[in-house]
Amino acid sequence: MRGGTEAGAHAARTYFTARHQTPKAFLKVDFRNAFNEVRRDNLLRMVKESLPDWYPFIYQAYHSPSALFWGTTPISSELGVQQGDPCGPALFALVLQPIVDAVRTELNLWFLDDGTAGDDPDRSHHFYWHGRASWSHT
């Protein structure tokens, strides 16, 4: 969506500054190291289900660990989308989408791993804990 980030910022500001009839909580989350924590088996399953035409291409890139090096020491890269992969943000968003869809708050805005929720304090609290629990399985 053109101007989506700007529209999201305006929506958050409007919600935050609005006069509400009941107390509201405004919660911002940022998943720590999120792009590096995506399980590749889940990523490949979701690509196969949602983007079957892309699956062979994505499978070639992510079906086995990549060898990274620190000097001459190899490090096996088994989680996450590859840094520099132009498909990386879209693949990350695909994996995150079920979590976004499960959020049931009045305000539910996301830009990749940054989420904003607004609702009564109990619902906002649920948003935080549900997201945390869901992310640990993604």
Side-chain angles (χ1 to χ4, degrees), residues 65-95:
S66 304
L68 305 176
F69 291 89
W70 180 347
T72 58
T73 304
I75 302 168
S76 181
S77 174
E78 301 174 12
L79 287 172
V81 295
Q82 292 293 325
Q83 186 173 9
D85 179 359
C87 295
L91 294 172
F92 176 81
L94 179 67
V95 172

Side-chain angles (χ1 to χ4, degrees), residues 90-117:
L91 294 172
F92 176 81
L94 179 67
V95 172
L96 186 64
Q97 192 61 49
I99 296 171
V100 173
D101 290 343
V103 173
R104 299 288 181 238
T105 55
E106 293 174 346
L107 180 69
N108 179 17
L109 298 172
W110 290 84
F111 181 76
L112 297 174
D113 66 330
D114 298 313
T116 305

